[in-house]
Amino acid sequence: MTSAIRTPAVAGRFYPGRAEELLREVRDFTSTGKISIATGRIAAIGCVAPHAGYIYSGGVAGAVYSRLEIPERCVILCPNHTGKGRPLAVMASTVWQTPLGEVAADADMGARLLRRFRALQEDSAAHRAEHAIEVQLPFLQALRPEVKIVPIAIGTSDFDVLRGLGEALADVIANRLEEDQEEDHEQDQDEKVLIIASSDMNHYESDAITRVKDHKAIERVLAMDARGLWEVVMNEDISMCGFGPTIVMLTAAKILGATSATLVKYATSGDVSGDYESVVGYAGIIVE
């Protein structure tokens, strides 16, 4: 069966549309020459990375990816900005295109997740114009060209549903890893699955207010407190678009054995634009 093709929606706008320029930009953002790395790359369980135009958030995303050992398979969770499609939407067997080439979906893992969590549905409408997964792909392609993904768009804020998806995701990953280890005892770290929560932080308030609000949300993520993150976002009116994906990632990561989270970099769009009256916050966090 021929896989469906998901063509780029924001190439040339959120990031360069030409392969040479895009690769150069991604390599600049992930250059270890800019970053002090005392040890080797981290085989993390999860992370939070922003998804704005690279001019604004590329430095934060690059700071995260430069520290990670990118495994063969990544689950990428993103918010549904367009409002189209199903509330929980996966494209289980689609090939995603970027100027750097193609990224295949891990059809087997996607199918397992669909069977395990019935609220998740196969749906392309939620993904066709959604940028939040697409902008992560060039980073993954540059660091792990043969990467496969499970792309999931999340359009619900129901905590019980988010927690349920996180539990199902952890179950599917654990079972898949167990099978891989049985097949080849020599494979270990390379068979990890990285769970990426694609999220920006607070939107369109002043830099001062955004930093205060974002600190409250980041504090809950660093404590790996999924319920606490949901509560602070709701109670403090924090417009963190990817809090749902982050809750799913934290839930799954804790079940899979994660014990710590680290803030790698934080910035706002004001750091680039010079406009501090209306900004968007960006946080890069690694969970291991």
Side-chain angles (χ1 to χ4, degrees):
M1 186 179 74
T2 303
S3 296
I5 302 293
R6 195 276 190 183
T7 56
V10 294
R13 294 193 292 130
F14 278 58
Y15 59 84
R18 295 178 56 185
E20 300 84 358
E21 185 184 353
L22 175 57
L23 187 59
R24 184 166 59 247
E25 200 163 285
V26 168
R27 284 177 173 167
D28 185 51
F29 286 135
T30 57
S31 170
T32 55
K34 295 180 175 182
I35 303 161
S36 175
I37 300 179
T39 57
R41 294 182 186 271
I42 300 165
I45 295 175
C47 70
V48 178
H51 55 234
Y54 282 11
I55 187 174
Y56 295 111
S57 67
V60 176
V64 172
Y65 288 119
S66 68
R67 285 166 166 78
L68 296 178
E69 183 68 51
I70 306 299
E72 182 182 343
R73 296 189 294 272
C74 295
V75 176
I76 313 180
L77 307 157
C78 80
N80 183 334
H81 291 90
T82 68
K84 296 178 181 178
R86 303 291 185 173
L88 295 178
V90 64
M91 294 180 79
S93 58
T94 302
V95 173
W96 290 59
Q97 292 178 334
T98 81
L100 298 184
E102 295 184 340
V103 179
D106 187 319
D108 178 68
M109 185 176 289
R112 291 176 187 225
L113 198 53
L114 282 164
R115 289 194 299 269
R116 174 64 176 74
F117 196 66
R118 296 296 183 179
L120 181 67
Q121 294 177 284
E122 177 74 39
D123 176 45
S124 62
H127 289 275
R128 287 297 174 192
E130 175 57 59
H131 67 277
I133 287 175
E134 180 180 328
V135 297
Q136 310 296 338
L137 298 182
F139 288 98
L140 300 177
Q141 289 174 290
L143 295 167
R144 185 70 184 248
E146 301 304 314
V147 69
K148 291 185 177 181
I149 63 169
V150 179
I152 300 173
I154 296 174
T156 178
S157 60
D158 185 309
F159 180 78
D160 290 334
V161 173
L162 298 170
R163 180 178 59 191
L165 178 57
E167 291 168 349
L169 182 57
D171 188 36
V172 167
I173 290 174
N175 288 339
R176 180 68 181 267
L177 295 181
E178 192 174 296
E179 289 175 11
D180 287 343
Q181 288 168 0
E182 287 174 358
E183 290 174 9
D184 187 351
H185 294 290
E186 298 300 315
Q187 298 182 38
D188 46 23
Q189 295 289 2
D190 207 39
E191 289 307 315
K192 276 184 176 287
V193 175
L194 176 64
I195 307 168
I196 301 166
S198 180
S199 181
D200 293 342
M201 300 301 291
N202 196 59
H203 288 61
Y204 310 134
E205 293 188 271
S206 72
D207 190 83
I209 290 172
T210 288
R211 287 176 184 271
V212 170
K213 286 189 172 185
D214 285 350
H215 175 73
K216 292 177 180 178
I218 290 167
E219 189 178 63
R220 292 299 90 212
V221 179
L222 298 183
M224 299 201 302
D225 179 4
R227 178 76 191 193
L229 174 61
W230 185 86
E231 289 176 350
V232 76
V233 165
M234 294 296 173
N235 295 336
E236 302 288 341
D237 192 28
I238 302 170
S239 53
M240 174 184 178
C241 55
F243 76 92
T246 304
I247 287 168
V248 175
M249 181 274 291
L250 288 173
T251 301
K254 284 186 75 172
I255 295 170
L256 292 168
T259 56
S260 66
T262 305
L263 177 64
V264 175
K265 188 171 183 177
Y266 176 82
T268 75
S269 58
D271 296 328
V272 172
S273 69
D275 175 9
Y276 296 100
E277 295 305 309
S278 179
V279 306
V280 178
Y282 312 114
I285 298 170
I286 292 175
V287 176
E288 56 183 311

